[in-house]
Structures are given as structure tokens and as C-alpha cells.
Amino acid sequence: MADNQLVLLAFWLVHQGSSDAVSTLALRLLSMLANTGPAAWAAACQGGAVYLLSAILPVRQPGEPFSDSYELVRVAAASLLSRLSAHQLHGTRVKLLMSRLLPPGLVAALCDGPGDAAVQTLSQWSETPERVWNSGMARKTAEEVAGLAETARASQAKGERNWTPPEISAPDNTD
């Protein structure tokens, strides 16, 4: 029970992002636990994947650059998400959640890794059959992910560990 709370708290620390150092330490811990059932369950059914996506796709002003240390957090979060999506029992749920938020080509990039390539892919605007992605879609998706992360955290603050996201609308390609 305490182990599960620790895992969930580590995911939340990545999302909360009080500092890049705290996020990095939480990601290191989660990386060590990524192959365990509790870590994969927390990612799949307790908001962990949404917390990681909020670090990878933060809400920010257009053109606002990432610091080098935050870029490392994004890469580590993407690498962890890739590992969690490959988990034998719970990885499919992680992929399903991502596919409700992102175009198929971006889900594939996050699942296939490596983290730096996935982050690079999320930073490139494109219009192909498997990936329509532009600045407007990135901004809307980041806002939706942030809202979902706050919903998950509010639910958990009430003592409800497992979290089911509300209906998620697929991103459209308007700017």
C-alpha cells in the first residue's frame, strides 16, 4: 500500500514540477520501478501517464524556449512513458490513453522511443496521414493534458487512487 502511494507521489512530483531537479529525481525513481506492476498500474489507471505527458507537453507561450535542464526532464519522461507503454499487463492502457490525446504517429513515436527522438517529433509540425500536428494542436493538447492532470490530482486528494479520465476529444488541426 505504501509502495503504491510512493509511486503515485513520484508521478505527481514530475507533473507538479516545482524544480527540474525534483522532477529528475522522481523520474529516476520511476525509471527504476518502471518494470513493476505498481508503477505500470499507476501510469495506466491512476493518472501517471497523464502526469508524464504534462511534463512532455507543458502549457507555455508560443515560441517560449525550454531550458536545457527541462529538456532533459522531457526526454526522461518520454523514455519512461515508452517503457511503461511496453509493460506486459498494463502497457495497453497507457497506449490507449495516449491515443485518446495524440495523433497515431505521435503515439508511435512515444511508444517506440527513444525519448529524445519522441520529444523531437513532438516539436516538429507536420501534416501526413498518420500525423497531423501543428502549434495550435500542441497548445490545445497541452491544455487538455494539464486539465486532466489536475482532475486526476483532485480525485486523488479525495482519497480515490484509481482515476478514469472523462471523455477526451481528439485534437483537431486548427491553429
Side-chain angles (χ1 to χ4, degrees):
M1 178 85 138
D3 292 345
N4 294 347
Q5 288 176 317
L6 176 65
V7 169
L8 192 53
L9 180 60
F11 276 113
W12 184 76
L13 286 171
V14 173
H15 160 68
Q16 191 255 354
S18 62
S19 76
D20 295 345
V22 169
S23 295
T24 299
L25 289 174
L27 284 163
R28 284 184 188 163
L29 173 64
L30 289 167
S31 183
M32 287 185 264
L33 299 172
N35 294 331
T36 67
W41 179 258
C45 298
Q46 296 180 333
V50 171
Y51 293 150
L52 292 175
L53 282 171
S54 72
I56 298 167
L57 284 170
V59 176
R60 63 191 182 110
Q61 297 298 318
E64 180 183 345
F66 292 113
S67 68
D68 290 343
S69 60
Y70 193 76
E71 196 64 35
L72 292 175
V73 167
R74 292 179 70 213
V75 168
S79 295
L80 179 58
L81 200 53
S82 174
R83 290 182 60 200
L84 291 166
S85 71
H87 190 269
Q88 187 174 9
L89 294 176
H90 307 301
T92 302
R93 292 178 189 223
V94 173
K95 290 177 194 172
L96 178 62
L97 178 64
M98 288 191 296
S99 69
R100 292 173 68 190
L101 292 161
L102 297 167
L106 295 178
V107 173
L110 283 166
C111 291
D112 296 344
D116 55 346
V119 167
Q120 181 66 28
T121 300
L122 286 165
S123 301
Q124 296 173 343
W125 312 143
S126 66
E127 192 165 335
T128 64
E130 60 279 336
R131 186 178 81 175
V132 176
W133 190 244
N134 58 44
S135 61
M137 289 178 70
R139 184 182 63 257
K140 287 178 185 178
T141 302
E143 290 168 356
E144 185 158 17
V145 166
L148 290 171
E150 291 308 315
T151 302
R153 184 62 185 153
S155 175
Q156 291 157 0
K158 295 176 191 171
E160 302 167 13
R161 263 198 209 101
N162 291 340
W163 171 77
T164 303
E167 274 304 307
I168 302 170
S169 59
D172 61 28
N173 60 357
T174 57
D175 234 328

Short mmCIF file of all heavy atoms in Angstrom, two decimals, residues 99-130:
data_model
loop_
_atom_site.label_atom_id
_atom_site.label_comp_id
_atom_site.label_asym_id
_atom_site.label_seq_id
_atom_site.Cartn_x
_atom_site.Cartn_y
_atom_site.Cartn_z
N SER A 99 -3.48 7.49 -27.08
CA SER A 99 -4.16 7.56 -28.39
C SER A 99 -5.43 8.39 -28.31
O SER A 99 -5.91 8.85 -29.34
CB SER A 99 -4.45 6.15 -28.91
OG SER A 99 -5.45 5.54 -28.13
N ARG A 100 -5.96 8.59 -27.14
CA ARG A 100 -7.13 9.46 -26.98
C ARG A 100 -6.74 10.93 -27.01
O ARG A 100 -7.59 11.79 -27.17
CB ARG A 100 -7.86 9.11 -25.69
CG ARG A 100 -8.51 7.73 -25.75
CD ARG A 100 -9.09 7.30 -24.45
NE ARG A 100 -10.24 8.10 -24.09
CZ ARG A 100 -10.83 8.06 -22.91
NH1 ARG A 100 -10.37 7.24 -21.98
NH2 ARG A 100 -11.87 8.82 -22.65
N LEU A 101 -5.47 11.20 -26.85
CA LEU A 101 -4.99 12.58 -26.78
C LEU A 101 -4.14 13.00 -27.98
O LEU A 101 -4.09 14.19 -28.30
CB LEU A 101 -4.16 12.79 -25.51
CG LEU A 101 -4.92 12.73 -24.20
CD1 LEU A 101 -3.98 12.49 -23.04
CD2 LEU A 101 -5.71 14.00 -24.01
N LEU A 102 -3.45 12.06 -28.59
CA LEU A 102 -2.46 12.38 -29.62
C LEU A 102 -2.74 11.65 -30.93
O LEU A 102 -3.31 10.56 -30.91
CB LEU A 102 -1.06 11.99 -29.12
CG LEU A 102 -0.54 12.72 -27.89
CD1 LEU A 102 0.68 12.01 -27.34
CD2 LEU A 102 -0.22 14.16 -28.23
N PRO A 103 -2.27 12.21 -32.04
CA PRO A 103 -2.37 11.51 -33.33
C PRO A 103 -1.56 10.21 -33.30
O PRO A 103 -0.57 10.10 -32.57
CB PRO A 103 -1.77 12.50 -34.33
CG PRO A 103 -1.81 13.82 -33.66
CD PRO A 103 -1.70 13.55 -32.20
N PRO A 104 -1.95 9.22 -34.11
CA PRO A 104 -1.27 7.92 -34.10
C PRO A 104 0.25 7.98 -34.29
O PRO A 104 0.99 7.25 -33.65
CB PRO A 104 -1.93 7.17 -35.26
CG PRO A 104 -3.25 7.82 -35.45
CD PRO A 104 -3.07 9.26 -35.05
N GLY A 105 0.72 8.85 -35.17
CA GLY A 105 2.16 8.95 -35.40
C GLY A 105 2.93 9.42 -34.18
O GLY A 105 4.06 8.98 -33.94
N LEU A 106 2.32 10.28 -33.38
CA LEU A 106 2.98 10.75 -32.16
C LEU A 106 2.94 9.69 -31.07
O LEU A 106 3.89 9.54 -30.29
CB LEU A 106 2.35 12.05 -31.67
CG LEU A 106 2.53 13.24 -32.60
CD1 LEU A 106 1.82 14.48 -32.06
CD2 LEU A 106 3.99 13.53 -32.85
N VAL A 107 1.83 8.95 -31.00
CA VAL A 107 1.76 7.84 -30.04
C VAL A 107 2.84 6.82 -30.37
O VAL A 107 3.56 6.35 -29.49
CB VAL A 107 0.36 7.18 -30.05
CG1 VAL A 107 0.34 5.92 -29.18
CG2 VAL A 107 -0.70 8.18 -29.58
N ALA A 108 2.99 6.51 -31.65
CA ALA A 108 4.03 5.56 -32.08
C ALA A 108 5.42 6.07 -31.70
O ALA A 108 6.26 5.31 -31.23
CB ALA A 108 3.94 5.31 -33.57
N ALA A 109 5.66 7.37 -31.90
CA ALA A 109 6.98 7.94 -31.56
C ALA A 109 7.23 7.81 -30.07
O ALA A 109 8.35 7.48 -29.65
CB ALA A 109 7.05 9.40 -32.00
N LEU A 110 6.22 8.08 -29.25
CA LEU A 110 6.39 7.98 -27.80
C LEU A 110 6.57 6.53 -27.36
O LEU A 110 7.37 6.24 -26.47
CB LEU A 110 5.20 8.61 -27.07
CG LEU A 110 5.20 10.12 -27.03
CD1 LEU A 110 3.83 10.65 -26.61
CD2 LEU A 110 6.28 10.64 -26.09
N CYS A 111 5.83 5.61 -27.96
CA CYS A 111 5.93 4.20 -27.57
C CYS A 111 7.23 3.56 -28.05
O CYS A 111 7.82 2.74 -27.33
CB CYS A 111 4.75 3.42 -28.12
SG CYS A 111 3.18 3.83 -27.34
N ASP A 112 7.68 3.94 -29.23
CA ASP A 112 8.86 3.31 -29.81
C ASP A 112 10.16 3.89 -29.27
O ASP A 112 11.19 3.23 -29.32
CB ASP A 112 8.83 3.42 -31.33
CG ASP A 112 7.67 2.66 -31.94
OD1 ASP A 112 7.07 1.82 -31.25
OD2 ASP A 112 7.33 2.93 -33.11
N GLY A 113 10.11 5.16 -28.78
CA GLY A 113 11.31 5.79 -28.26
C GLY A 113 12.36 5.93 -29.33
O GLY A 113 12.10 5.71 -30.50
N PRO A 114 13.57 6.28 -28.98
CA PRO A 114 14.00 6.75 -27.67
C PRO A 114 13.38 8.10 -27.31
O PRO A 114 12.80 8.78 -28.17
CB PRO A 114 15.52 6.85 -27.80
CG PRO A 114 15.74 7.11 -29.24
CD PRO A 114 14.63 6.37 -29.98
N GLY A 115 13.51 8.48 -26.05
CA GLY A 115 12.89 9.69 -25.55
C GLY A 115 13.26 10.95 -26.30
O GLY A 115 12.39 11.78 -26.59
N ASP A 116 14.53 11.09 -26.66
CA ASP A 116 14.94 12.32 -27.36
C ASP A 116 14.32 12.40 -28.75
O ASP A 116 13.93 13.48 -29.20
CB ASP A 116 16.46 12.47 -27.41
CG ASP A 116 17.19 11.28 -28.01
OD1 ASP A 116 16.57 10.20 -28.16
OD2 ASP A 116 18.37 11.43 -28.33
N ALA A 117 14.17 11.27 -29.41
CA ALA A 117 13.53 11.28 -30.73
C ALA A 117 12.04 11.60 -30.61
O ALA A 117 11.48 12.33 -31.43
CB ALA A 117 13.72 9.93 -31.42
N ALA A 118 11.40 11.08 -29.57
CA ALA A 118 9.98 11.35 -29.36
C ALA A 118 9.75 12.83 -29.07
O ALA A 118 8.83 13.45 -29.61
CB ALA A 118 9.45 10.50 -28.21
N VAL A 119 10.58 13.41 -28.23
CA VAL A 119 10.46 14.84 -27.91
C VAL A 119 10.70 15.68 -29.16
O VAL A 119 9.99 16.66 -29.41
CB VAL A 119 11.43 15.23 -26.76
CG1 VAL A 119 11.56 16.73 -26.62
CG2 VAL A 119 10.95 14.62 -25.45
N GLN A 120 11.68 15.28 -29.97
CA GLN A 120 11.95 15.99 -31.22
C GLN A 120 10.75 15.92 -32.16
O GLN A 120 10.37 16.90 -32.79
CB GLN A 120 13.20 15.41 -31.90
CG GLN A 120 13.57 16.10 -33.19
CD GLN A 120 14.00 17.54 -33.00
OE1 GLN A 120 14.51 17.91 -31.95
NE2 GLN A 120 13.78 18.36 -33.99
N THR A 121 10.12 14.75 -32.23
CA THR A 121 8.95 14.57 -33.08
C THR A 121 7.81 15.47 -32.62
O THR A 121 7.10 16.05 -33.44
CB THR A 121 8.51 13.09 -33.06
OG1 THR A 121 9.59 12.29 -33.55
CG2 THR A 121 7.28 12.86 -33.92
N LEU A 122 7.61 15.60 -31.32
CA LEU A 122 6.56 16.47 -30.79
C LEU A 122 6.83 17.95 -31.06
O LEU A 122 5.92 18.76 -31.00
CB LEU A 122 6.40 16.25 -29.28
CG LEU A 122 5.71 14.95 -28.89
CD1 LEU A 122 5.94 14.65 -27.43
CD2 LEU A 122 4.23 15.01 -29.21
N SER A 123 8.06 18.28 -31.36
CA SER A 123 8.44 19.67 -31.62
C SER A 123 8.36 20.04 -33.10
O SER A 123 8.59 21.19 -33.46
CB SER A 123 9.86 19.92 -31.11
OG SER A 123 9.93 19.66 -29.72
N GLN A 124 8.08 19.06 -33.95
CA GLN A 124 8.03 19.30 -35.39
C GLN A 124 6.60 19.31 -35.88
O GLN A 124 5.85 18.37 -35.61
CB GLN A 124 8.82 18.22 -36.13
CG GLN A 124 10.28 18.20 -35.82
CD GLN A 124 10.97 17.00 -36.44
OE1 GLN A 124 10.35 16.04 -36.83
NE2 GLN A 124 12.29 17.07 -36.51
N TRP A 125 6.21 20.35 -36.58
CA TRP A 125 4.87 20.42 -37.14
C TRP A 125 4.87 19.65 -38.45
O TRP A 125 5.81 19.74 -39.24
CB TRP A 125 4.44 21.86 -37.38
CG TRP A 125 4.68 22.80 -36.24
CD1 TRP A 125 5.07 24.09 -36.34
CD2 TRP A 125 4.54 22.55 -34.83
NE1 TRP A 125 5.17 24.66 -35.08
CE2 TRP A 125 4.86 23.72 -34.14
CE3 TRP A 125 4.17 21.44 -34.08
CZ2 TRP A 125 4.81 23.84 -32.75
CZ3 TRP A 125 4.14 21.54 -32.69
CH2 TRP A 125 4.45 22.73 -32.05
N SER A 126 3.79 18.89 -38.68
CA SER A 126 3.73 18.12 -39.91
C SER A 126 2.27 17.84 -40.29
O SER A 126 1.37 17.98 -39.47
CB SER A 126 4.47 16.79 -39.75
OG SER A 126 3.81 15.98 -38.81
N GLU A 127 2.09 17.43 -41.53
CA GLU A 127 0.77 17.05 -42.00
C GLU A 127 0.92 15.85 -42.91
O GLU A 127 1.13 15.98 -44.11
CB GLU A 127 0.11 18.22 -42.72
CG GLU A 127 -1.35 17.98 -42.96
CD GLU A 127 -2.10 19.23 -43.34
OE1 GLU A 127 -1.66 20.34 -42.97
OE2 GLU A 127 -3.14 19.09 -44.00
N THR A 128 0.88 14.67 -42.30
CA THR A 128 0.93 13.41 -43.01
C THR A 128 -0.30 12.60 -42.60
O THR A 128 -0.95 12.94 -41.61
CB THR A 128 2.22 12.62 -42.66
OG1 THR A 128 2.18 12.29 -41.27
CG2 THR A 128 3.47 13.43 -42.97
N PRO A 129 -0.62 11.53 -43.31
CA PRO A 129 -1.81 10.76 -42.92
C PRO A 129 -1.79 10.25 -41.47
O PRO A 129 -2.80 10.24 -40.81
CB PRO A 129 -1.81 9.59 -43.91
CG PRO A 129 -1.09 10.12 -45.10
CD PRO A 129 -0.05 11.05 -44.55
N GLU A 130 -0.63 9.87 -40.98
CA GLU A 130 -0.57 9.36 -39.61
C GLU A 130 -0.25 10.43 -38.58
O GLU A 130 -0.35 10.19 -37.38
CB GLU A 130 0.43 8.20 -39.49
CG GLU A 130 1.87 8.52 -39.84
CD GLU A 130 2.14 8.48 -41.35
OE1 GLU A 130 1.43 7.81 -42.10
OE2 GLU A 130 3.09 9.15 -41.76
#
